Amino acid sequence: MPEEDPVRDAGGPDGCGRDGRGAASSEAAPPGRSGADCQVRFLPVEQTVQVAAGATIEDALVAAGLRMPLPCGGQGRCGRCVVEVRAGEVRRRSVVRLTEEELARGCALACQTAIEGDAVVWVPPVEERFERFERGDRAEKAASELPVCPGTAVPWVVALPLDLPAPSLSDNMADLERVQTGLARQHGMQDVIPTLTALADLPQSLRDGEWQVTAVVEQGNGVDLEAPRRLLAVVPGAPPVRTWGAAIDIGTTTVAVYLGDLATSRLIDQASAYNGQIACGEDVISRIMYGRRPERRLELQERVVQTINGLLDRLLERQGGAPDDVKVSVVAGNTTMTHLFLGLQADFIRLEPYVPAAAWFSPQPAARLGLHLHPEALVDCLPAVGAYVGGDITAGVLRAGFHQEDPVTLFLDVGTNGEMVLGNSEWLLTCACSAGPAFEGAGVASGMRAVDGAIEEVWIDPHTFEPTVSTLGDVAARGICGSGMISLLSELRATGLIDKSGRMVAHDRADRVRAGDAGLEYVVARAEDADGRDVVLTETDIQNLLRAKAAIYAGAAVLCDSVGLAVTDVERVLIGGAFGRHIDVQKAIAIGLLPDLPWEAFSYLGNTSVQGAYLALTCREYRRQIDELAAKMTYLELSADNRFMDEFTSALFIPHTDLSLFPSVSASPPDAPKEGVDGL
Amino acid sequence: MPEEDPVRDAGGPDGCGRDGRGAASSEAAPPGRSGADCQVRFLPVEQTVQVAAGATIEDALVAAGLRMPLPCGGQGRCGRCVVEVRAGEVRRRSVVRLTEEELARGCALACQTAIEGDAVVWVPPVEERFERFERGDRAEKAASELPVCPGTAVPWVVALPLDLPAPSLSDNMADLERVQTGLARQHGMQDVIPTLTALADLPQSLRDGEWQVTAVVEQGNGVDLEAPRRLLAVVPGAPPVRTWGAAIDIGTTTVAVYLGDLATSRLIDQASAYNGQIACGEDVISRIMYGRRPERRLELQERVVQTINGLLDRLLERQGGAPDDVKVSVVAGNTTMTHLFLGLQADFIRLEPYVPAAAWFSPQPAARLGLHLHPEALVDCLPAVGAYVGGDITAGVLRAGFHQEDPVTLFLDVGTNGEMVLGNSEWLLTCACSAGPAFEGAGVASGMRAVDGAIEEVWIDPHTFEPTVSTLGDVAARGICGSGMISLLSELRATGLIDKSGRMVAHDRADRVRAGDAGLEYVVARAEDADGRDVVLTETDIQNLLRAKAAIYAGAAVLCDSVGLAVTDVERVLIGGAFGRHIDVQKAIAIGLLPDLPWEAFSYLGNTSVQGAYLALTCREYRRQIDELAAKMTYLELSADNRFMDEFTSALFIPHTDLSLFPSVSASPPDAPKEGVDGL
């Protein structure tokens, strides 16, 4: 049975929900005024709603049609849904993350606060960091840098010209049979099964083309040329018929689409956007929690489909195409994202013993999933290995290519989750280390994603302790993104402002270090230099970051240990995922996030998930290899592994308890020249 | 290119349409008031709409949300959409079938009359004969009389108990994999592909059942046990899981559903209803004409799906079942009905050289077609042979069973169309003879379907010429159904009231014969004995009936001639279809509809189409035989056959030009005792 969350279940819908009727169950109603209606007036929007006593403020927000982001899925953990109760009776079930000052002001967590009488509630504007953000479609590695299909070049979908005899009374076979006969005689293609879409208007197409037509045929299932072929469309005449395909990477944070031409394997265009599910939780656990009720599971599915469709629409508009042009798609996502995309129950992914509904998914027609593709286009979700190693990783390994090479390679995909694969052509070992989204900005006071205004690099003067920062987009700083955090941590340690356990040292010369609500904090940018608010790193933030980096390092150490290797035996480290892009490898080593290997051993590959999906889309040999890979990979469940906890504890220091593992760090002077990763 | 109908295409939507916006194209607008708005007031409903000048009265009816049946599909042929123009300017494009008296009253055909100014139009109540009529679910032949499955008894869908090990950290394969492993180990069933529906809630089902579950598996495609298996559902525990199936016969007039238990092959229940498409045309040609525009094609599809769903709902309610209980369905229909059900363009079925979009249809999931079955239940449409010999006939031959026997057999399915098959275990020859729906009441002044109030048998006193009639339901006569027409024709001829060419003889003693609007007519029931209106048979009616019976006889004659046989060489006549039920064989022979064979040679089998579909549903050997049958049958296109016109002309007499073909008729005294068909 699934673990239940009585607060959420009693409290009803939340700010992200469609199911908010504003009425709480009687179980949650307070003793005094059970079931009675309360009037809640929201400011500054000036909206008033009636809800039953006992409903949460969130219920009331939903009833009023107002939206409130819920990064933790309404569990009362993230402290993001803060509102101010200006008047009226409420009961706070939890005040986690609220300061004394905030409580004194009347602040409350919308998801954790029950309404017990008429109330006036002030709702602050939604923070920009949670708003949907369209990336600037930055260029990924050019397609020419991707590996070349090693197998048959026969594309998944082909357009074939047909020259058919016109029917007569003595030759009046059905139109479909005529097309099938033509395909067999003119292209040696037997037993092509018609789709209903192709069949519906086949008669008019044949006659409009005066029996010269172009048949669009899906050849096999992407892996096997001998699998049943399907007739997707019949177009009059012999026009250039587009056989495009879409490779879709569903990340917890970001969704990316590559649009490619199946006939030539040419990458036509690409786009990415934030996953529309973010408002329902920032990490996979929060999403799973959010989606426990069927109507919310449906909502999550609709949200990601909407995100994908927005990207497809944008790409097609830009390229002058139409949904019908896209004849097949390959989807890579972590196991939870793939479940939510397909509408599958994901609850047991988060509960021991961490079991997904499926690790292999049968392809579905696009129309069934509501994607803006040709209605009969197959949507092929790449296979997962386990609950926390999904199709994004099998795609990533394919892209990285070390499954066919000799050197022992560590592949890291540090996005919202932290997955890694160790191996070579003989064996593959994988694990997920629950690093959490700290490097993406969650759990860090001034954390944010890598968008304009994010501090991506920091240098601290070892004498004055004054920082110099570089921000994305060269605008005023609004927060710190993952690469900035690594850079900052490394500088704080190098200048001695923090000790090896991450504790801040209130240096008498460092007026940037001050006491804040959560202990000491370092002011990276003052309000006047930033976007009107101090950008800080607190001791709590540092502990969160250390936990994330320790989990990643410990994961790698356990993988190595499982095959009798030391971390330093790794010959090559390949990094994928959005987070990897801006990492300064030497600083990452300095804080003990990456193993201490020569910088030539590191390569950054970009979004390996979407690239792997694209390779599978355009090359059936690659598609086949992914099935093979997924079956071959051994999944190590770290939560069941005592070694992991030991390694994790040892890695909670900067860089590590065992300094012999980081010879270059102890030897490195604070202000040694920094080198970027190859290819950045 | 399809033949276009400029009047309909210019005139826009009709009374049966969804697309009525009330605005006609400018092309159809009259010169005087082009494009201007006209106000049309409908009586007695007192509704007023604005339409553009040039719109038809039907356009206006649709705009007003009023419905008008269109048996001929709005071609201006049937004369059913009569309205009275009480005031205003209109332009009648056609006045076919309107009498002088009617025109004097202001009558007009709604589909053929353009509005040229403000108008007041009286709309008569819809005649009951066109209203949707739910049959009384009369008992068909008991299932025990149907042939027994000769092949493997392995049902199409099975429910299999599974006892699975609970997962643990050391055994945390995905839920699907656990089920697949269980199916392989416990039932020897490999490679079962999950449906998305089965997968969506699989995790909860497994845990609710504490790893004891029942898996519902579709075994192969109905023909081949080795075809890919699909997992349709997983139910917690080991409850009795229903694996029901639906056999659906889509007739042009009537839709019938048999609900059966796949596990036992037991027929659970049956129901039938009029096809909801009737309002858009009574015969297949009218339906095809009606459905030429995409939105109307969709409407026709929705109408028949609605009819089927109504039947399914009724059966399931009666049996305490739910749509999810029905795990597969087999559909039999003539080629046009199958096309319209699947939403395929049917236009070229009606135009030489008579080519359907497809004669073989790949199964589709029920959800895609909107049927009230388990969403993943396959809907398997039985294969057709040609444009006018569909899955209803291949199903019928299977049911009749003569494809495996020696005697040369003629199988007749005389419903709205007239299809027949001649053959035995060695060969099968088939044709359709465009008999038209005269025997179902169309084209006959007092014609109606075989429902309460229909005269089904007539006896005429040879001396007084007074008739005695028997009506269905023993209520006052409202019209004559097919069997009544055969009976009446036979009596009129036997008493000498009509000659062998069908011309009426105004006998001085027969005051039942009188002059009507369309020549002489025989009054079968006077208004005072009937439902307030004389029930008559006119000379025009008789000519229509003779054409229908001649087409059927000529079809049989050409089939026989094609294999060097005379009609009298036929050893057995098997009759299927609704029309056959009440036929008095001797009277049908007397008018030359059926060949003159001893009455023991005739058998009536009931609705062979739904029975054949049911056999295919419950027995995969039978399903396989239908594919074989369809491939084996030789289709004779009569319109391309000169012999047919010769035979047709000879058969326009009663019983025939060549009386030697009907020895029993010429020898038969007028009042010989009549024998019914075996089994009636």
Side-chain angles (χ1 to χ4, degrees):
Chain A
M1 291 299 295
E3 176 194 312
E4 284 303 326
D5 179 343
V7 174
R8 297 295 318 146
D9 286 342
D14 60 46
C16 184
R18 60 176 64 241
D19 49 351
R21 237 43 63 186
S25 76
S26 60
E27 172 188 354
R33 201 172 155 170
S34 175
D37 269 2
C38 308
Q39 201 169 60
V40 184
R41 178 169 154 229
F42 288 112
L43 302 175
V45 289
E46 277 296 350
Q47 239 173 301
T48 303
V49 285
Q50 295 281 121
V51 294
T56 64
I57 293 178
E58 244 181 85
D59 292 336
L61 281 165
V62 172
L66 300 171
R67 302 191 69 79
M68 168 70 66
L70 286 184
C72 74
Q75 303 168 69
R77 286 201 292 108
C78 70
R80 294 287 187 198
C81 57
V82 179
V83 294
E84 275 180 46
V85 179
R86 296 269 167 97
E89 311 160 48
V90 298
R91 184 166 54 91
R92 292 174 178 76
R93 296 187 191 126
S94 165
V95 294
V96 66
R97 289 178 183 269
L98 291 180
T99 62
E100 284 303 321
E101 183 271 331
E102 283 174 322
L103 285 169
R105 268 197 292 140
C107 284
L109 298 179
C111 75
Q112 296 296 323
T113 303
I115 295 161
E116 304 198 337
D118 296 350
V120 178
V121 177
W122 190 82
V123 185
V126 173
E127 286 182 65
E128 198 186 357
R129 50 180 294 185
F130 292 112
E131 285 178 352
R132 186 189 167 98
F133 177 85
E134 300 288 327
R135 286 181 173 219
D137 301 342
R138 302 178 198 143
E140 281 283 345
K141 293 233 170 199
S144 61
E145 290 182 42
L146 290 178
V148 172
C149 180
T152 161
V154 181
W156 196 330
V157 176
V158 282
L160 303 167
L162 287 176
D163 183 355
L164 303 171
S168 65
L169 279 173
S170 58
D171 168 23
N172 60 356
M173 64 172 77
D175 287 338
L176 170 64
E177 201 180 337
R178 192 169 301 276
V179 169
Q180 286 171 324
T181 306
L183 285 169
R185 290 201 188 141
Q186 294 166 38
H187 299 283
M189 206 168 267
Q190 307 288 338
D191 302 325
V192 177
I193 296 169
T195 60
L196 216 46
T197 305
L199 214 48
D201 293 305
L202 175 63
Q204 200 59 56
S205 296
L206 288 171
R207 286 155 186 88
D208 284 352
E210 294 177 341
W211 311 97
Q212 312 273 332
V213 292
T214 304
V216 180
V217 178
E218 180 192 68
Q219 314 194 73
N221 58 14
V223 177
D224 181 7
L225 260 173
E226 299 310 311
R229 294 177 168 86
R230 294 191 312 147
L231 181 67
L232 297 183
V234 174
V235 182
V241 174
R242 285 169 177 160
T243 52
W244 289 355
I248 301 167
D249 162 46
I250 306 179
T252 309
T253 303
T254 305
V255 176
V257 177
Y258 274 22
L259 184 68
D261 187 336
L262 301 175
T264 59
S265 294
R266 185 177 66 89
L267 177 61
I268 298 170
D269 201 352
Q270 55 186 296
S272 59
Y274 280 153
N275 186 333
Q277 296 174 339
I278 289 177
C280 308
E282 294 215 334
D283 52 39
V284 295
I285 300 300
S286 304
R287 303 266 172 95
I288 294 171
M289 297 283 286
Y290 185 84
R292 279 179 305 165
R293 288 197 234 143
E295 71 276 12
R296 289 200 177 168
R297 199 203 299 174
L298 187 65
E299 179 193 352
L300 288 171
Q301 185 179 28
E302 285 171 358
R303 279 176 177 268
V304 70
V305 165
Q306 207 171 12
T307 300
I308 297 170
N309 282 342
L311 290 169
L312 289 169
D313 292 348
R314 201 200 307 171
L315 287 169
L316 289 171
E317 193 188 335
R318 212 148 64 188
Q319 297 299 329
D324 271 357
D325 293 335
V326 189
K327 306 289 201 300
V328 67
S329 70
V330 170
V331 174
N334 64 53
T335 309
T336 300
M337 287 304 111
T338 305
H339 275 58
L340 297 179
F341 169 61
L342 294 174
L344 309 182
Q345 192 188 13
D347 302 16
F348 302 97
I349 287 177
R350 107 185 141 86
L351 301 171
E352 197 181 308
Y354 318 110
V355 178
W360 177 88
F361 311 93
S362 55
Q364 301 294 329
R368 166 120 195 217
L369 295 166
L371 290 192
H372 291 182
L373 309 173
H374 186 287
E376 305 281 1
L378 281 190
V379 179
D380 177 22
C381 292
L382 294 178
V385 177
Y388 293 100
V389 175
D392 53 346
I393 302 305
T394 56
V397 171
L398 178 89
R399 159 63 182 99
F402 63 97
H403 65 297
Q404 299 205 304
E405 295 170 355
D406 292 335
V408 172
T409 304
L410 179 67
F411 169 65
L412 285 173
D413 185 334
V414 188
T416 312
N417 309 304
E419 299 102 335
M420 60 192 73
V421 184
L422 182 72
N424 58 16
S425 58
E426 287 172 27
W427 51 273
L428 293 167
L429 205 56
T430 182
C431 71
C433 55
S434 332
F439 286 112
E440 293 202 318
V444 175
S446 297
M448 66 182 286
R449 296 198 199 89
V451 298
D452 283 357
I455 293 173
E456 58 162 350
E457 200 151 15
V458 183
W459 300 266
I460 298 179
D461 185 303
H463 307 294
T464 65
F465 303 112
E466 281 299 303
T468 307
V469 304
S470 114
T471 61
L472 285 172
D474 281 329
V475 297
R478 295 196 295 120
I480 318 173
C481 69
S483 56
M485 295 176 206
I486 293 170
S487 184
L488 178 54
L489 265 190
S490 149
E491 290 289 296
L492 288 172
R493 177 74 190 113
T495 54
L497 282 172
I498 57 176
D499 65 17
K500 68 173 188 164
S501 68
R503 250 186 327 201
M504 217 164 266
V505 180
H507 205 288
D508 51 2
R509 281 179 298 137
D511 57 359
R512 288 271 175 169
V513 176
R514 69 182 188 200
D517 288 336
L520 292 177
E521 59 189 29
Y522 179 79
V523 183
V524 193
R526 296 194 202 279
E528 58 268 28
D529 303 324
D531 203 22
R533 206 166 46 165
D534 288 348
V535 176
V536 301
L537 193 74
T538 70
E539 283 191 320
T540 310
D541 295 341
I542 293 173
Q543 290 312 313
N544 285 336
L545 290 169
L546 290 189
R547 273 195 289 276
K549 79 98 186 169
I552 293 168
Y553 186 85
V558 171
L559 283 189
C560 289
D561 185 69
S562 298
V563 287
L565 295 176
V567 174
T568 44
D569 292 331
V570 170
E571 295 171 71
R572 198 168 50 170
V573 180
L574 303 178
I575 301 173
F579 170 62
R581 182 184 305 279
H582 300 282
I583 293 182
D584 178 320
V585 167
Q586 200 149 352
K587 285 183 173 169
I589 294 171
I591 67 165
L593 167 65
L594 294 177
D596 194 1
L597 299 172
W599 69 265
E600 310 84 41
F602 294 87
S603 295
Y604 175 65
L605 302 178
N607 182 340
T608 46
S609 175
V610 71
Q611 289 171 8
Y614 183 74
L615 292 177
L617 176 78
T618 50
C619 168
R620 64 181 68 226
E621 167 57 16
Y622 276 141
R623 178 63 189 81
R624 193 194 60 70
Q625 283 186 17
I626 287 186
D627 280 355
E628 205 175 76
L629 269 178
K632 184 178 173 183
M633 278 160 84
T634 305
Y635 178 47
L636 223 68
E637 179 53 58
L638 294 185
S639 66
D641 202 315
N642 287 331
R643 291 173 301 177
F644 179 70
M645 200 36 80
D646 295 342
E647 291 284 356
F648 176 74
T649 310
S650 305
L652 276 174
F653 293 85
I654 306 176
H656 196 274
T657 317
D658 181 359
L659 285 176
S660 74
L661 291 169
F662 288 84
S664 82
V665 177
S666 34
S668 171
D671 51 355
K674 312 297 183 291
E675 297 282 354
V677 166
D678 173 38
L680 286 178
Chain B
M1 294 297 296
E3 177 195 311
E4 284 303 327
D5 179 342
V7 173
R8 298 295 318 143
D9 286 340
D14 60 45
C16 183
R18 63 174 63 243
D19 48 352
R21 239 39 67 188
S25 74
S26 59
E27 173 190 354
R33 204 170 153 172
S34 175
D37 268 3
C38 308
Q39 201 169 59
V40 183
R41 178 170 153 228
F42 288 112
L43 302 175
V45 290
E46 278 297 352
Q47 240 174 300
T48 303
V49 286
Q50 296 279 122
V51 295
T56 64
I57 293 178
E58 245 181 82
D59 292 337
L61 280 164
V62 172
L66 300 171
R67 302 190 70 78
M68 168 69 66
L70 288 185
C72 74
Q75 302 169 70
R77 286 201 292 105
C78 69
R80 295 286 188 199
C81 58
V82 179
V83 293
E84 274 179 46
V85 180
R86 295 270 167 97
E89 312 160 51
V90 299
R91 185 166 52 92
R92 292 173 177 80
R93 295 185 192 127
S94 165
V95 293
V96 66
R97 289 178 183 266
L98 292 180
T99 62
E100 284 303 321
E101 183 272 330
E102 285 174 320
L103 284 170
R105 270 197 290 140
C107 284
L109 297 178
C111 74
Q112 296 296 322
T113 303
I115 295 160
E116 305 199 335
D118 296 351
V120 178
V121 176
W122 190 82
V123 185
V126 173
E127 287 181 64
E128 197 186 358
R129 50 180 296 181
F130 292 112
E131 285 178 348
R132 187 191 165 102
F133 177 85
E134 300 288 325
R135 286 181 173 217
D137 301 344
R138 301 180 199 140
E140 282 281 347
K141 292 231 169 201
S144 61
E145 290 182 43
L146 290 177
V148 171
C149 181
T152 163
V154 181
W156 196 331
V157 176
V158 283
L160 303 167
L162 287 176
D163 184 355
L164 302 170
S168 65
L169 279 173
S170 59
D171 167 23
N172 60 356
M173 65 172 76
D175 287 336
L176 170 64
E177 200 180 338
R178 192 169 302 275
V179 169
Q180 287 171 324
T181 306
L183 285 170
R185 290 200 189 143
Q186 294 167 38
H187 299 282
M189 207 169 267
Q190 308 287 341
D191 302 326
V192 176
I193 297 169
T195 60
L196 215 46
T197 306
L199 214 48
D201 294 305
L202 176 64
Q204 200 58 56
S205 296
L206 287 170
R207 285 154 186 87
D208 284 350
E210 294 176 342
W211 310 98
Q212 312 273 330
V213 292
T214 304
V216 181
V217 178
E218 180 191 67
Q219 314 195 72
N221 57 17
V223 177
D224 180 8
L225 261 171
E226 300 310 310
R229 294 178 169 84
R230 294 190 312 146
L231 182 67
L232 298 183
V234 173
V235 183
V241 174
R242 285 169 177 159
T243 52
W244 289 356
I248 301 168
D249 162 47
I250 306 178
T252 310
T253 303
T254 305
V255 176
V257 177
Y258 274 23
L259 185 68
D261 187 336
L262 300 174
T264 60
S265 294
R266 185 178 66 90
L267 178 62
I268 298 170
D269 200 353
Q270 54 186 294
S272 59
Y274 280 151
N275 186 332
Q277 295 174 340
I278 289 178
C280 310
E282 293 215 332
D283 53 38
V284 295
I285 300 300
S286 304
R287 302 265 173 93
I288 294 171
M289 297 282 286
Y290 185 84
R292 279 178 303 166
R293 287 195 236 144
E295 72 276 13
R296 290 200 176 168
R297 200 203 301 173
L298 187 66
E299 179 192 352
L300 288 172
Q301 184 179 27
E302 284 172 358
R303 279 175 176 267
V304 70
V305 165
Q306 208 171 9
T307 300
I308 296 170
N309 283 341
L311 289 169
L312 289 168
D313 293 348
R314 201 199 308 169
L315 288 169
L316 289 170
E317 193 189 336
R318 211 149 65 189
Q319 296 300 326
D324 271 358
D325 293 334
V326 190
K327 306 289 202 296
V328 67
S329 71
V330 170
V331 174
N334 65 53
T335 309
T336 300
M337 287 305 109
T338 306
H339 274 58
L340 296 180
F341 169 61
L342 293 174
L344 310 183
Q345 192 187 16
D347 302 16
F348 302 97
I349 289 178
R350 109 186 139 84
L351 301 171
E352 199 181 308
Y354 317 111
V355 178
W360 178 88
F361 311 93
S362 55
Q364 301 293 330
R368 164 116 195 223
L369 295 166
L371 290 192
H372 292 182
L373 309 173
H374 187 286
E376 305 279 2
L378 281 191
V379 179
D380 177 23
C381 292
L382 294 178
V385 177
Y388 292 99
V389 174
D392 52 346
I393 302 304
T394 56
V397 171
L398 178 88
R399 158 62 182 101
F402 63 98
H403 65 297
Q404 299 205 305
E405 294 170 356
D406 291 335
V408 172
T409 303
L410 178 68
F411 169 65
L412 285 173
D413 186 333
V414 187
T416 312
N417 310 304
E419 299 102 335
M420 61 192 75
V421 184
L422 182 73
N424 58 16
S425 58
E426 288 174 24
W427 51 273
L428 293 167
L429 206 56
T430 182
C431 71
C433 56
S434 333
F439 285 112
E440 293 200 318
V444 175
S446 297
M448 66 183 285
R449 296 195 198 92
V451 297
D452 284 357
I455 295 173
E456 58 162 349
E457 199 150 15
V458 183
W459 300 269
I460 299 180
D461 184 302
H463 306 294
T464 65
F465 302 113
E466 282 298 304
T468 307
V469 304
S470 116
T471 59
L472 285 172
D474 281 329
V475 297
R478 296 195 295 120
I480 319 173
C481 69
S483 56
M485 293 176 207
I486 292 170
S487 183
L488 178 54
L489 265 190
S490 151
E491 289 289 297
L492 288 172
R493 176 76 190 112
T495 53
L497 282 172
I498 55 173
D499 65 16
K500 68 174 191 168
S501 69
R503 248 183 331 193
M504 215 161 268
V505 180
H507 204 288
D508 51 3
R509 282 177 297 138
D511 56 357
R512 289 270 174 168
V513 177
R514 70 182 187 197
D517 287 338
L520 293 178
E521 59 190 30
Y522 179 80
V523 182
V524 193
R526 295 191 204 279
E528 58 268 27
D529 303 324
D531 204 22
R533 208 166 44 166
D534 289 347
V535 175
V536 300
L537 193 74
T538 70
E539 284 192 319
T540 310
D541 295 341
I542 293 174
Q543 290 310 316
N544 285 337
L545 290 170
L546 290 189
R547 274 195 289 276
K549 78 98 187 171
I552 293 167
Y553 186 86
V558 171
L559 284 188
C560 289
D561 185 68
S562 300
V563 287
L565 296 176
V567 175
T568 45
D569 291 333
V570 169
E571 295 171 73
R572 200 169 47 171
V573 179
L574 304 178
I575 301 173
F579 171 60
R581 181 184 305 280
H582 300 282
I583 293 181
D584 178 323
V585 167
Q586 200 151 350
K587 285 182 171 171
I589 293 172
I591 66 164
L593 168 65
L594 294 177
D596 194 0
L597 299 171
W599 69 265
E600 309 85 39
F602 294 88
S603 295
Y604 176 65
L605 302 178
N607 182 340
T608 45
S609 175
V610 72
Q611 289 171 8
Y614 183 73
L615 293 176
L617 177 77
T618 51
C619 169
R620 64 181 68 225
E621 167 56 17
Y622 276 141
R623 178 64 190 82
R624 194 194 58 72
Q625 283 185 18
I626 288 187
D627 280 356
E628 204 175 76
L629 270 177
K632 185 178 171 183
M633 279 160 81
T634 306
Y635 179 46
L636 223 69
E637 179 52 59
L638 294 186
S639 66
D641 202 315
N642 286 330
R643 291 173 303 176
F644 179 71
M645 202 34 82
D646 294 343
E647 290 284 356
F648 177 72
T649 309
S650 305
L652 276 174
F653 294 84
I654 307 175
H656 196 273
T657 317
D658 182 358
L659 285 177
S660 72
L661 292 167
F662 288 84
S664 81
V665 176
S666 33
S668 170
D671 50 356
K674 313 298 184 289
E675 298 281 354
V677 165
D678 174 38
L680 287 179

